[in-house]
Amino acid sequence: MKLGILVNTDRHANDVVGLTKAAVSKGHEVIIFMMDSGNKLLENSSVTGLSNEAGVSMAFCDHSAQKLGISKEGIPGKMNCGSQFDNANMNSQADRVIVL
Amino acid sequence: MKILHILNDGPTDLSSKIIGTQSKEHEVKVIELSKKGSYESLIDEIFSHDKVVSW
């Protein structure tokens, strides 16, 4: 099954990582979309490193990142610098969506 | 319908009211994120419910 995780705060980095790894270990796919203050976690290598996990796809809202002045240097190439279109796709494709 | 509510930052007046009302017609489970047990068990809960609500 597919789990969508909308990350719109920077308060639950450990939970983003823990839930993603647990889901993958159980054979699920995970789609992560980061926006608003959740984009502050783009500076957290434990979070961005999830993009290297098999079965995980990640995107972030470029508009939010620009508004927050977040540098895109060092963000893994596997992360899609995207838009709310990616959020819509996640909600369409995922069997369950949680917000952190 | 089986509905799971995940309280990211603990209960609020609004979440308590809505969960209380919803419980009259549905099978509702509430998990506080800080008291979740293991991440693996939370994943199982998420996929074993029909709907998941994050607060």
Side-chain angles (χ1 to χ4, degrees):
Chain A
M1 297 185 84
K2 289 186 181 179
L3 174 66
I5 304 179
L6 173 62
V7 183
N8 64 359
T9 77
D10 60 348
R11 298 196 300 270
H12 303 289
N14 291 340
D15 297 311
V16 174
V17 174
L19 280 167
T20 299
K21 290 189 172 181
V24 168
S25 75
K26 288 179 164 287
H28 302 297
E29 293 180 43
V30 181
I31 306 168
I32 298 172
F33 182 72
M34 303 166 69
M35 61 179 282
D36 292 341
S37 59
N39 270 348
K40 292 178 182 175
L41 297 182
L42 290 170
E43 297 166 341
N44 182 322
S45 59
S46 295
V47 174
T48 58
L50 293 170
S51 62
N52 294 317
E53 297 261 349
V56 178
S57 61
M58 297 182 72
F60 64 92
C61 175
D62 185 32
H63 179 69
S64 290
Q66 287 186 30
K67 279 185 75 173
L68 290 168
I70 292 170
S71 169
K72 293 171 198 163
E73 282 186 33
I75 295 175
K78 289 183 178 178
M79 288 194 67
N80 180 23
C81 177
S83 69
Q84 291 300 320
F85 179 67
D86 297 283
N87 189 10
N89 278 337
M90 177 184 72
N91 278 277
S92 172
Q93 294 168 9
D95 298 292
R96 303 286 185 279
V97 176
I98 62 171
V99 183
L100 290 170
Chain B
M1 184 180 288
K2 294 179 66 178
I3 303 171
L4 173 65
H5 289 263
I6 301 174
L7 307 180
N8 292 342
D9 302 299
T12 64
D13 287 347
L14 182 60
S15 67
S16 298
K17 283 180 183 175
I18 288 178
I19 290 166
T21 301
Q22 205 172 57
S23 300
K24 296 173 183 172
E25 296 187 14
H26 299 283
E27 184 180 335
V28 174
K29 181 162 186 169
V30 180
I31 295 177
E32 290 190 41
L33 191 56
S34 62
K35 304 172 183 174
K36 69 194 170 306
S38 71
Y39 287 115
E40 287 78 7
S41 65
L42 183 51
I43 290 295
D44 288 341
E45 292 283 6
I46 287 169
F47 285 118
S48 66
H49 284 76
D50 301 306
K51 298 286 183 186
V52 181
V53 183
S54 296
W55 291 87

